Amino acid sequence: MQINGECRVSRTAEETTPSPEDETGPARFDRIFGALRDRICLLAYPPGTVLSEVALAREFGISRTPIRRVFHKLEFMGLVQIRNGVGTIVTDIDLKTLKETYDLRKRLAELMGELSPVEITPDHLARIDDLIAETRALAPIRGDYDALARIINRLQGLLSDLTGNGPLREIIELLYYRVARIWFTFLPQLGWDDAIENQINELREIRTAMANNDIRSVGQYRSIDLQRMLTSLSRVLSEP
Amino acid sequence: MQINGECRVSRTAEETTPSPEDETGPARFDRIFGALRDRICLLAYPPGTVLSEVALAREFGISRTPIRRVFHKLEFMGLVQIRNGVGTIVTDIDLKTLKETYDLRKRLAELMGELSPVEITPDHLARIDDLIAETRALAPIRGDYDALARIINRLQGLLSDLTGNGPLREIIELLYYRVARIWFTFLPQLGWDDAIENQINELREIRTAMANNDIRSVGQYRSIDLQRMLTSLSRVLSEP
DNA sequence: CATGGTCATCCTGTATACAGCTTGATTTTA
DNA sequence: TAAAATCAAGCTGTATACAGGATGACCATG
């Protein structure tokens, strides 16, 4: 339990626009929402953190009202719980819900390739090549789990772009953001070398399927990887 | 396009608590949210209706602030679109998104029986027997499509209770509320007798599977019924 | 008559004061 | 001392005034 005012984690490289003065209303909402979502997802606000409306309102130079709107969206997504008189608390996930979510994500990943598949473009291939290259470049810099998490986020973004069915894409993203931080919390226990190796293997599998323009296989590989993650998580979380 | 102040549809039997004076905060939110969701779903507010914060605030005897929170949740669910300076507009669905949603719902219905199935209790059977009986009782009262829609809503509620996987249940419900009103809009074009007959057949299929404690078959039947709905919808919507 | 500008009038967005709730420290009491 | 009551300080929830955007009616102008 931490007050977000005290929890100034070294948010190095918060990759969002630095608050342009001429941004319109919805743009500001998206910027703040994305910033808070990423802080939660990337563990700058670990589960249990108490967020304060007034503190964040001060940080972003606005009043409580727009911050509350962002909080409500985060609550709908399941990332925080708003409790009257207490604060807005970053949620944790119990083991049962975590397993149910991964079971579902596995099946949705398979559907990704079956429902209105999209054509894979050279741009898509370039993006996954980038991810592979950056992961390899990251390997010697041992322990930068934050950078690794950002790469994993970008892989999810790429897979989203490969999901032709709009509602399915939306739901896959929603479930990803619900549980990604649990995986990120676990990564250090896996160890740097294993984490990097697993990640490169996953990226290479998916790249191979993409090169064959075989989205169905992309989904199948993703499903297998999710199963592997769930297995790793269960082993650690059930026997601490 | 209608102003909700003028659009006082005969909301006979709005089956919600009649605003008890001692209800706590979250209870009031749920009551108002449920009321507006049902009005949208049951076509008291058809697509294109413009909802006004002040009008609804007056109706429920509160200020704009809680109404705005409800609107934001409805927007997150995809039932309304909030437009600055204009109003909050009940959304319509384009044919492409409708098809994508039904394709996804079909697959999710199958998953219902596969992911952590629940035990079927006599209470569940009693509920579907109720639905069958009420539908039969409704048959002679030709043209009460609103009552039929409420029965369809309750079937969805029953199927939700048969979905053991929590996140899956949540998503199935979300997608149901997104497109149910489109089906309800279409029902009168199908004709009363066909609508009733289809509905009774669907209920009987599902009841049979439930009696065998076979949730997998429940999901399969539901999937087939969704396909049938999509076919009916496509036939009408693509050739007006 | 056609057309462009102006403005009145709705709406939602924002800021802010105040009310109500929660919690833990403090004080009182058995 | 231990336990119960009290209260202060923080938080979110609500109401409301005001700012800003969208739209259609109206009117001036070619």
Side-chain angles (χ1 to χ4, degrees):
Chain A
M1 293 268 188
Q2 309 168 15
I3 300 294
N4 77 306
E6 309 166 356
C7 169
R8 286 312 169 105
V9 188
S10 69
R11 285 193 293 277
T12 55
E14 181 149 294
E15 298 156 357
T16 52
T17 355
S19 170
E21 291 303 327
D22 60 344
E23 76 181 344
T24 175
R28 188 182 67 180
F29 176 85
D30 289 340
R31 177 174 58 88
I32 297 176
F33 170 76
L36 294 188
R37 184 198 55 193
D38 288 346
R39 289 180 193 178
I40 293 172
C41 178
L42 295 172
L43 301 174
Y45 297 152
T49 304
V50 178
L51 305 178
S52 159
E53 294 177 356
V54 286
L56 287 168
R58 265 201 308 269
E59 173 183 341
F60 289 103
I62 54 181
S63 79
R64 284 176 56 207
T65 309
I67 296 289
R68 284 176 64 77
R69 210 172 121 206
V70 171
F71 277 9
H72 286 135
K73 181 159 182 182
L74 291 171
E75 186 180 41
F76 296 150
M77 290 184 65
L79 296 189
V80 302
Q81 180 190 12
I82 303 176
R83 286 173 53 183
N84 186 359
V86 178
T88 295
I89 301 158
V90 177
T91 54
D92 205 342
I93 301 185
D94 61 292
L95 194 59
K96 175 165 173 284
T97 305
L98 186 69
K99 185 185 179 316
E100 288 181 344
T101 305
Y102 268 89
D103 285 342
L104 179 55
R105 289 184 68 203
K106 275 164 47 189
R107 307 304 291 263
L108 295 181
E110 294 167 1
L111 291 185
M112 181 188 87
E114 301 181 28
L115 299 182
S116 43
V118 302
E119 195 76 12
I120 292 181
T121 68
D123 176 63
H124 292 139
L125 275 176
R127 283 165 67 188
I128 193 147
D129 284 337
D130 264 6
L131 291 176
I132 293 174
E134 291 187 31
T135 310
R136 287 205 167 112
L138 202 61
I141 313 169
R142 303 179 58 81
D144 192 351
Y145 291 100
D146 188 74
L148 181 55
R150 288 176 192 277
I151 287 177
I152 294 175
N153 264 0
R154 284 164 58 197
L155 171 61
Q156 173 59 41
L158 175 57
L159 292 174
S160 276
D161 290 344
L162 296 182
T163 305
N165 186 298
L168 177 60
R169 177 174 56 242
E170 199 181 319
I171 287 163
I172 288 178
E173 274 200 31
L174 179 71
L175 294 178
Y176 171 78
Y177 277 112
R178 276 202 196 167
V179 296
R181 62 218 151 95
I182 308 298
W183 178 247
F184 296 155
T185 304
F186 165 72
L187 272 184
Q189 302 177 48
L190 190 64
W192 182 253
D193 291 331
D194 283 350
I196 290 284
E197 188 185 335
N198 283 353
Q199 194 56 36
I200 289 184
N201 285 342
E202 178 176 355
L203 287 166
R204 286 174 54 87
E205 287 167 354
I206 291 176
R207 196 218 177 280
T208 304
M210 284 173 62
N212 294 332
N213 197 24
D214 182 0
I215 292 215
R216 189 173 297 248
S217 294
V218 172
Q220 304 251 346
Y221 279 129
R222 179 65 163 175
S223 179
I224 293 170
D225 293 325
L226 287 169
Q227 175 61 52
R228 192 153 46 216
M229 292 181 189
L230 177 57
T231 305
S232 299
L233 282 173
S234 301
R235 198 158 38 221
V236 171
L237 294 182
S238 61
E239 317 159 356
Chain B
M1 293 268 189
Q2 309 167 15
I3 300 294
N4 77 304
E6 308 166 358
C7 168
R8 286 309 166 110
V9 188
S10 68
R11 284 193 294 278
T12 55
E14 179 150 293
E15 298 156 357
T16 53
T17 354
S19 173
E21 290 302 327
D22 60 344
E23 75 182 346
T24 175
R28 187 182 68 181
F29 176 85
D30 289 341
R31 177 173 59 89
I32 297 177
F33 170 77
L36 293 188
R37 183 199 57 195
D38 288 347
R39 290 181 192 178
I40 294 171
C41 178
L42 295 172
L43 302 175
Y45 297 153
T49 304
V50 178
L51 304 179
S52 158
E53 294 176 356
V54 286
L56 286 168
R58 264 201 309 269
E59 172 182 342
F60 290 103
I62 53 181
S63 80
R64 284 175 54 206
T65 309
I67 296 288
R68 283 177 63 78
R69 208 172 122 210
V70 171
F71 277 10
H72 286 134
K73 182 160 181 180
L74 290 171
E75 184 181 42
F76 184 75
M77 289 182 67
L79 296 189
V80 303
Q81 182 190 12
I82 303 175
R83 286 173 52 183
N84 186 359
V86 179
T88 295
I89 301 158
V90 177
T91 53
D92 205 343
I93 300 185
D94 61 292
L95 194 59
K96 175 165 172 286
T97 305
L98 186 68
K99 184 184 179 318
E100 288 180 343
T101 305
Y102 268 89
D103 284 343
L104 179 55
R105 288 184 69 202
K106 276 164 46 190
R107 306 305 292 262
L108 295 181
E110 294 167 3
L111 290 185
M112 180 188 86
E114 300 182 29
L115 299 182
S116 42
V118 302
E119 195 76 12
I120 292 181
T121 67
D123 175 64
H124 293 139
L125 276 176
R127 283 166 67 188
I128 192 145
D129 284 337
D130 264 6
L131 291 176
I132 293 174
E134 291 187 31
T135 310
R136 287 207 167 110
L138 201 62
I141 314 169
R142 303 178 58 80
D144 192 350
Y145 290 101
D146 187 75
L148 181 56
R150 288 175 193 276
I151 288 177
I152 294 174
N153 264 0
R154 284 164 58 196
L155 171 60
Q156 173 60 40
L158 175 58
L159 292 175
S160 274
D161 291 343
L162 297 182
T163 306
N165 186 298
L168 177 60
R169 177 174 57 241
E170 199 181 320
I171 288 163
I172 288 179
E173 274 201 30
L174 179 72
L175 295 178
Y176 170 78
Y177 279 110
R178 276 202 197 168
V179 297
R181 61 217 151 96
I182 308 299
W183 178 248
F184 297 154
T185 305
F186 165 72
L187 272 185
Q189 302 179 48
L190 190 64
W192 182 252
D193 291 330
D194 283 348
I196 290 285
E197 188 186 337
N198 283 353
Q199 194 57 36
I200 288 185
N201 285 342
E202 177 176 354
L203 287 167
R204 286 174 53 86
E205 287 167 355
I206 291 177
R207 196 216 177 280
T208 304
M210 283 173 63
N212 294 332
N213 198 24
D214 183 0
I215 292 215
R216 191 174 296 249
S217 292
V218 172
Q220 304 250 346
Y221 279 129
R222 178 65 163 176
S223 179
I224 292 170
D225 294 324
L226 287 168
Q227 175 59 53
R228 192 153 46 217
M229 294 181 184
L230 178 57
T231 305
S232 298
L233 281 173
S234 300
R235 198 159 37 222
V236 171
L237 294 181
S238 60
E239 317 158 356

